[in-house]
Amino acid sequence: MLTIVLIDDDPISTFVTEKLISKNVKEPCQFYKYQSARRALEEIDSINPNYLFLDLNMPEMTGWDFLDNFHPRDTDAQIYILSSSVDERDISKASQYQIVRDYLSKPLIKKYIKSIFN
């Protein structure tokens, strides 16, 4: 079973992402959804996700703050930034994080899902 963490303060975006993944990935998936990056950071070690989708612009703790404070122990989580920002500075900054696999624009589309999960 695939374990997938979705961190986004927008519940509609999270709902859409979860449904798209569920419909287009053959393996069964277990989802952990967080509207707070801080809360996700507190619980992430006990989850040990295969995939993590992270929004950047959130109150209290941004996606950047999450990445700066995330020190994975025994995880091979593939981290994808999923953001509505198309700012070149964000895309460039994301590439500076070794743990970030890719920067994807919202909403997640079928083409991205196929490349991520195949």
Side-chain angles (χ1 to χ4, degrees):
M1 177 169 301
L2 295 177
T3 304
I4 300 169
V5 172
L6 307 176
I7 306 171
D8 193 328
D9 62 320
D10 177 6
I12 294 169
S13 178
T14 302
F15 176 81
V16 170
T17 301
E18 179 182 2
K19 291 301 168 214
L20 263 170
I21 292 171
S22 295
K23 281 187 173 181
N24 292 287
V25 174
K26 291 177 178 71
E27 277 187 73
C29 300
Q30 180 174 19
F31 290 91
Y32 292 86
K33 296 170 281 210
Y34 294 93
Q35 289 185 318
S36 161
R38 185 174 310 286
R39 183 142 176 264
L41 192 60
E42 291 167 1
E43 298 179 11
I44 198 82
D45 281 339
S46 64
I47 297 170
N48 195 17
N50 301 104
Y51 298 91
L52 191 151
F53 293 87
L54 177 66
D55 185 25
L56 292 178
N57 300 313
M58 295 179 283
E60 186 188 0
M61 178 184 253
T62 68
W64 300 124
D65 296 333
F66 177 89
L67 290 169
D68 290 338
N69 289 284
F70 180 54
H71 306 292
R73 292 196 184 99
D74 299 323
T75 185
D76 295 327
Q78 294 186 33
I79 299 175
Y80 293 88
I81 292 175
L82 188 56
S83 178
S84 52
S85 169
V86 289
D87 188 327
E88 284 297 324
R89 292 171 298 190
D90 285 339
I91 296 166
S92 175
K93 184 175 180 178
S95 69
Q96 295 170 8
Y97 288 87
Q98 286 188 335
I99 59 173
V100 173
R101 291 298 280 272
D102 205 352
Y103 186 104
L104 307 170
S105 56
K106 285 183 184 178
L108 193 61
I109 58 174
K110 211 172 182 174
K111 180 176 91 175
Y112 293 156
I113 293 170
K114 296 216 178 294
S115 69
I116 292 168
F117 293 95
N118 287 338

